[in-house]
Amino acid sequence: MAMKIYGSPMSRASRVMWCAKELGVPFEHIDVPWDKLKDPSFLAVNPNGKVPGFCDGELKLFESLAINLYIAKKYGTGELYPTNIDDEARALQWTLWAATEVEPLVLPAVMVKFGIGSDAAAAQAGAEKVKPVLKVLDDHLKDREWLVGETFSVADLNAGSVVAMARYGDIDISYVPNASAWLDRCLSRSSRNPAARE
Ligand SMILES: N[C@@H](CCC(=O)N[C@@H](CS)C(=O)NCC(=O)O)C(=O)O
């Protein structure tokens, strides 16, 4: 039975679809209308009433980046997921860094851009506060192409999914050229092409 990924492609479900497509793992995509997220039928999938929701056989998961770590480890160890404990720890580090240090600062700009939120002051403050955070990423990438090891990994996919929100929110990140070029590399993967296999 194929994995099931619930949620609009315009939501964080896109991160999970990207991960599955990167590995060529077949999945069933179930779009869930925004006004149905708190319905009991969807709460049975994700009790938070948010997308993505995810099922793989008996396993149900929420949290997009955690789902990606699971998919990458189960279907892509040695490819998308590291084979040694040090690199595994680095992948977890960059994932948690993106979720906790970056996402809260760039989210308000995305909300304003798409008319979901109206706190322009929070959007502007986040765009300022994220500068030293992205400098950490930029410094790490000054003499390397990818975050962990020599190839694109789940660390890039997860952190790239989050840093991309700065772009979606029209936050200029050209002041971190290494991070900017890395984001371009991440976002130009063929697995992000809408025509990539589901
Ligand atoms: N940290 C969660 C965030 C999930 C989330 O907030 N999803 C949004 C869509 S991108 C949602 O479902 N919002 C509806 C709501 O909050 O009611 C994740 O990464 O999966």
Side-chain angles (χ1 to χ4, degrees):
M1 192 176 28
M3 306 187 301
K4 291 183 180 159
I5 301 174
Y6 297 78
S8 158
M10 296 295 289
S11 75
R12 291 173 178 86
S14 62
R15 301 171 175 179
V16 179
M17 291 191 261
W18 178 12
C19 188
K21 287 179 183 180
E22 185 70 36
L23 288 167
V25 183
F27 63 91
E28 183 184 345
H29 174 226
I30 300 140
D31 207 341
V32 186
W34 295 104
D35 62 353
K36 301 281 184 237
L37 294 181
K38 312 299 179 209
D39 283 7
S41 58
F42 184 66
L43 290 174
V45 176
N46 182 346
N48 299 287
K50 296 183 179 195
V51 286
F54 177 82
C55 301
D56 190 14
E58 292 299 302
L59 178 71
K60 284 182 195 164
L61 291 174
F62 50 81
E63 284 301 327
S64 54
L65 304 180
I67 297 166
N68 283 351
L69 291 167
Y70 163 79
I71 295 173
K73 186 165 186 169
K74 180 166 182 184
Y75 299 102
T77 293
E79 189 180 347
L80 208 55
Y81 197 87
T83 50
N84 69 76
I85 192 166
D86 290 15
D87 282 348
E88 180 179 45
R90 291 180 179 111
L92 297 175
Q93 168 197 277
W94 284 112
T95 296
L96 290 170
W97 172 85
T100 60
E101 302 292 329
V102 180
E103 187 163 301
L105 297 178
V106 295
L107 185 58
V110 179
M111 307 276 278
V112 168
K113 169 84 183 290
F114 290 96
I116 308 160
S118 55
D119 195 343
Q124 207 172 343
E128 271 311 304
K129 285 190 194 153
V130 83
K131 285 182 176 172
V133 180
L134 293 184
K135 180 75 169 51
V136 173
L137 177 67
D138 201 60
D139 287 348
H140 181 70
L141 289 165
K142 79 174 174 303
D143 49 14
R144 52 186 308 134
E145 213 175 333
W146 304 112
L147 290 180
V148 176
E150 303 297 319
T151 56
F152 179 81
S153 77
V154 69
D156 302 291
L157 197 152
N158 275 351
S161 298
V162 174
V163 176
M165 293 170 83
R167 290 236 176 116
Y168 306 149
D170 289 340
I171 297 175
D172 176 21
I173 63 162
S174 58
Y175 57 87
V176 279
N178 305 317
S180 224
W182 161 84
L183 186 59
D184 287 340
R185 285 194 291 281
C186 291
L187 298 183
S188 61
R189 311 266 317 164
S190 57
S191 51
R192 291 195 78 258
N193 185 322
R197 184 162 72 94
E198 274 194 14

